[in-house]
């Protein structure tokens, strides 16, 4: 079996369009299946994120690519080469962990050089590549400091430099910003995005942070119970979720249940048990329009509009009262209790210094095209 070569900056490999492939991959731990038949194709140069709740199998999937775990069944390929029997140190990948995993007794430069010295690179090459890596992460002036003398964000930059100095074909990121505070995390997200664009290296990131995945990724895989629920661009995942789980997990949404009262292939009316009648134009056609089937619909909070007086259109316009008002700075989140007793969460831009008070009568409205629908 030939060993996959590492592509250095400035060189391109045109023999394949995919950097990572997972084919019907399973992973079983002590009788428990953590990964269930996962199929993934990750393109060269992509920023690809694996997103899901705790215990869904996303970290195990990343470890299967890294070689820290071997598949119980199925195949892992990197740049077209089977990796099932290739140990981690011989794979053209490097991993950045949430804990940074830096050597406290080594300086920044020595941490970055560690892997190169293991590969018996010459002193001059080590020095040059360490300088290049430090420049990439804007840490040139910190070369002689030790990890304990650095902030969390600086340590994360060193961890990135240590991974990038080996010219990996694929950079694996395991919750890379999870240990940082909110403001620093936002700053590092921007730096990570810029770094990806500059290098053109394939990034695969595992995260449970939906906003982080949406803002950084070219494509996202949403996992649940060891399986892939959906793969798509951030827009596809958020605006066109294929399952209720994806819609509910990515961002916030309002969920209503009922049965079809009347309709056709493109539009139907949902009647809830509380008597709410909702016009729906689903983004994906339902398998059946039978009135005997239970249907679930969801509406994103930002798709709903509020007014103090009755709107002209009566379609999906419902009277209610404000029950809760949450000031979020740039946005305001409202909870509206409809006359039916149903509650809707509404998120609107903060465009005024004066907010209405609780119990204010309001009208909530949304378009039929803003409803997503699935069979229950």
């Amino acid at each position: 079996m030939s060993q996959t070569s590492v592509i250095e900056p400035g060189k391109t490999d045109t023999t394949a369009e995919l950097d990572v492939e997972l084919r019907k991959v399973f992973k079983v731990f002590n009788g428990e299946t953590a990964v269930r038949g996962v199929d993934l194709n990750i393109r060269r140069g992509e920023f690809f994120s694996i997103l899901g709740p705790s215990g869904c199998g996303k970290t195990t999937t990343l470890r299967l690519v890294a070689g820290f775990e071997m598949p119980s069944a199925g195949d892992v390929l990197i740049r077209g080469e089977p990796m099932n029997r290739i140990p981690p140190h011989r794979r053209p990948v490097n991993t950045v962990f949430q804990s940074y995993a830096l050597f406290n007794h080594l300086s920044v430069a020595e941490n970055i050089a560690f892997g190169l010295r293991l590969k018996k690179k010459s002193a001059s090459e080590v020095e040059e590549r360490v300088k290049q890596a430090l420049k990439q992460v804007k840490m040139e002036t910190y070369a002689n400091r030790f990890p304990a003398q650095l902030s969390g964000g600086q340590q994360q930059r060193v961890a990135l430099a240590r991974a990038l100095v080996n010219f990996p074909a694929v950079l694996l990121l395991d919750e890379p910003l999870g240990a940082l505070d909110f403001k620093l995390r936002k700053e590092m997200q921007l730096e990570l995005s810029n770094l990806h664009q500059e290098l053109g290296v394939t990034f695969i990131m595992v995260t449970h942070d939906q906003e982080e995945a949406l803002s950084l990724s070219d494509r996202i895989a949403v996992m649940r119970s060891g399986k892939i629920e959906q793969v798509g661009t951030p827009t596809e995942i958020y605006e066109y979720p294929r399952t209720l789980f994806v819609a509910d997990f990515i961002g916030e949404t309002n969920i209503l249940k009922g049965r079809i009262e009347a309709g056709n292939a493109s539009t139907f009316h949902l009647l809830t048990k509380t008597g709410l009648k909702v016009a729906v134009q689903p983004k994906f056609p339902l398998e059946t329009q039978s009135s005997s089937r239970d249907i679930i619909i969801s509406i994103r909070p930002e798709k709903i509009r509020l007014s103090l007086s009755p709107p002209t259109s009566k379609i999906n316009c419902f009277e209610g009262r404000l029950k809760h008002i949450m000031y979020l700075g740039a946005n305001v989140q409202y909870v509206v209790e409809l006359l039916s007793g149903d509650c809707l969460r509404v998120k609107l831009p903060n465009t005024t210094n004066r907010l209405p008070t609780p119990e204010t009568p309001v009208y909530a409205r949304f378009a039929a095209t803003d409803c997503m629908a699935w069979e229950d």
Side-chain angles (χ1 to χ4, degrees):
M1 181 182 297
S2 62
Q3 184 176 350
T4 305
S5 60
V6 177
I7 306 302
E8 299 191 8
K11 298 181 180 180
T12 57
D13 181 358
T14 58
T15 59
E17 295 180 352
L18 300 177
D19 263 352
V20 176
E21 298 172 75
L22 275 66
R23 300 176 180 173
K24 297 290 186 293
V25 171
F26 287 80
K27 182 60 184 179
V28 180
F29 294 103
N30 300 320
E32 296 291 330
T33 305
V35 175
R36 301 171 181 271
V38 165
D39 285 299
L40 276 179
N41 291 326
I42 300 174
R43 302 163 189 157
R44 183 153 305 171
E46 252 191 324
F47 197 127
F48 191 94
S49 291
I50 304 174
L51 181 65
S54 297
C56 71
K58 58 185 184 293
T59 296
T60 301
T61 300
L62 195 77
R63 289 174 63 84
L64 287 164
V65 177
F68 300 134
E69 303 290 348
M70 297 299 173
S72 304
D75 297 299
V76 176
L77 293 88
I78 299 177
R79 296 207 163 169
E81 293 284 343
M83 290 286 132
N84 287 25
R85 299 181 182 275
I86 305 297
H89 67 277
R90 289 183 56 204
R91 298 190 183 195
V93 303
N94 275 102
T95 305
V96 177
F97 301 96
Q98 179 180 339
S99 61
Y100 316 134
L102 300 177
F103 299 114
N104 290 324
H105 64 288
L106 299 180
S107 69
V108 166
E110 290 168 338
N111 263 284
I112 296 170
F114 185 81
L116 296 175
R117 292 196 170 117
L118 282 180
K119 294 179 179 179
K120 308 296 184 183
K121 299 295 183 181
S122 67
S124 60
E125 183 179 359
V126 169
E127 182 180 2
E128 181 59 32
R129 285 169 65 169
V130 168
K131 283 182 180 179
Q132 181 184 358
L134 284 167
K135 185 177 181 180
Q136 286 174 337
V137 298
K138 301 177 179 62
M139 290 288 289
E140 303 100 308
T141 59
Y142 297 86
N144 296 320
R145 294 197 186 182
F146 288 84
Q149 298 173 304
L150 304 177
S151 67
Q154 290 167 340
Q155 289 184 54
Q156 187 59 277
R157 289 190 184 96
V158 176
L160 282 166
R162 186 176 62 181
L164 293 168
V165 78
N166 291 300
F167 300 147
V170 180
L171 184 66
L172 306 177
L173 303 156
D174 187 7
E175 300 276 7
L177 310 180
L180 304 180
D181 61 49
F182 179 80
K183 185 175 182 180
L184 185 55
R185 185 171 185 144
K186 293 300 178 186
E187 292 174 1
M188 286 299 296
Q189 285 175 5
L190 181 59
E191 291 193 23
L192 203 58
S193 179
N194 290 337
L195 193 61
H196 173 255
Q197 291 178 19
E198 290 170 10
L199 298 175
V201 174
T202 301
F203 282 21
I204 304 177
M205 180 177 72
V206 157
T207 181
H208 65 272
D209 188 315
Q210 300 123 3
E211 185 178 326
E212 187 167 275
L214 290 170
S215 63
L216 292 176
S217 310
D218 296 311
R219 287 192 305 149
I220 300 168
V222 181
M223 289 192 72
R224 178 192 186 191
S225 302
K227 296 182 178 180
I228 301 292
E229 286 273 313
Q230 185 175 349
V231 177
T233 66
T235 300
E236 289 168 345
I237 293 291
Y238 189 82
E239 299 288 351
Y240 303 96
R242 287 287 185 173
T243 67
L244 178 62
F245 173 82
V246 174
D248 195 29
F249 182 75
I250 305 293
E252 297 179 272
T253 197
N254 295 284
I255 295 174
L256 297 171
K257 297 182 179 182
R259 293 199 169 190
I260 294 175
E261 184 185 53
N264 52 47
S266 61
T267 306
F268 64 84
H269 286 90
L270 181 86
L271 185 63
T272 71
K273 290 182 179 180
T274 59
L276 210 63
K277 187 176 180 179
V278 184
V280 181
Q281 290 184 23
K283 298 178 180 181
F284 302 108
L286 297 174
E287 291 183 7
T288 176
Q289 293 285 342
S290 170
S291 60
S292 64
R293 298 301 298 270
D294 292 325
I295 302 296
I296 298 176
I297 65 169
S298 76
I299 311 101
R300 297 286 188 192
E302 68 274 13
K303 304 292 187 182
I304 303 173
R305 294 292 175 261
L306 298 180
S307 60
L308 297 176
S309 56
T312 304
S313 174
K314 300 301 180 183
I315 298 174
N316 292 347
C317 179
F318 307 102
E319 187 178 355
R321 289 180 179 272
L322 294 178
K323 300 305 292 182
H324 298 286
I325 301 169
M326 296 180 65
Y327 178 79
L328 303 175
N331 298 293
V332 181
Q333 183 165 291
Y334 304 91
V335 175
V336 180
E337 184 179 302
L338 306 181
L339 296 183
S340 64
D342 297 287
C343 287
L344 295 177
R345 286 174 292 172
V346 182
K347 184 179 287 186
L348 298 174
N350 180 17
T351 58
T352 177
N353 293 325
R354 298 182 61 185
L355 298 177
T357 58
E359 300 303 323
T360 299
V362 294
Y363 292 86
R365 68 187 190 279
F366 50 88
T369 53
D370 288 329
C371 301
M372 298 173 281
W374 302 271
E375 293 184 30
D376 193 2

